[in-house]
Amino acid sequence: MVTEDMIPAMQGTIPAALVTSSKAGIPNATYISQVFYVDESHVALSFQFFNKTIRNVRENPKASVKIYHPETQDTWDLEIEYEKSLEEGKIFEEMDMQLEAIASMTGMAGVFKLKAADIYSV
């Protein structure tokens, strides 16, 4: 369950660490730009260019993501499970705008391109 004190950790200030594994159990870890709050039992992850991660999630929908509070440095490990991908709609548009802001702040404007908002249950 996502609690209110976790929400600042989902603003994209500090990249989140995402760990997936293949169907055979081979792990893969990567940093992602965005964990987006959907509701208390769902988050959306930005699908940008993570071919191995996406392949793993399609084979094995269970994953873990560590989020970091930008002020307190508190961390939370969320056990998540992939449900679906959104390529349009309110969540996708909000994530796309937030991703552009993150890219602009980090000097990566024009590099980040949101392909989908992947919805996960927490």
Side-chain angles (χ1 to χ4, degrees), residues 45-51 54 85-88 92 96 99 112-118:
L45 304 185
S46 56
F47 168 29
Q48 294 164 250
F49 26 62
F50 306 112
N51 293 330
I54 294 304
S85 294
L86 304 175
E87 296 177 358
E88 61 184 13
F92 177 86
D96 194 37
L99 187 61
F112 294 169
K113 173 76 174 119
L114 186 62
K115 295 180 181 179
D118 286 350

Side-chain angles (χ1 to χ4, degrees):
M1 183 168 146
V2 179
T3 60
E4 192 170 315
D5 56 331
M6 295 177 185
I7 294 174
M10 298 183 194
Q11 300 303 315
T13 306
I14 301 174
L18 175 64
V19 178
T20 62
S21 67
S22 69
K23 189 175 182 178
I26 300 168
N28 180 59
T30 190
Y31 285 98
I32 58 173
S33 303
Q34 194 174 28
V35 176
F36 186 86
Y37 175 82
V38 175
D39 60 39
E40 66 183 22
S41 59
H42 292 89
V43 295
L45 304 185
S46 56
F47 168 29
Q48 294 164 250
F49 26 62
F50 306 112
N51 293 330
K52 188 173 190 176
T53 300
I54 294 304
R55 187 171 50 248
N56 283 354
V57 167
R58 299 311 187 259
E59 289 179 10
N60 174 11
K62 296 184 185 297
S64 177
V65 65
K66 181 181 282 280
I67 56 174
Y68 304 85
H69 193 291
E71 295 170 6
T72 65
Q73 300 307 306
D74 288 339
T75 64
W76 295 272
D77 292 310
L78 304 178
E79 293 180 18
I80 57 176
E81 187 167 349
Y82 173 76
E83 289 186 357
K84 62 184 174 184
S85 294
L86 304 175
E87 296 177 358
E88 61 184 13
K90 183 179 183 211
I91 292 171
F92 177 86
E93 290 170 16
E94 288 181 22
M95 287 185 72
D96 194 37
M97 281 192 328
Q98 186 175 6
L99 187 61
E100 284 192 33
I102 293 167
S104 178
M105 289 187 296
T106 60
M108 301 292 284
V111 175
F112 294 169
K113 173 76 174 119
L114 186 62
K115 295 180 181 179
D118 286 350
I119 306 297
Y120 289 79
S121 60
V122 178

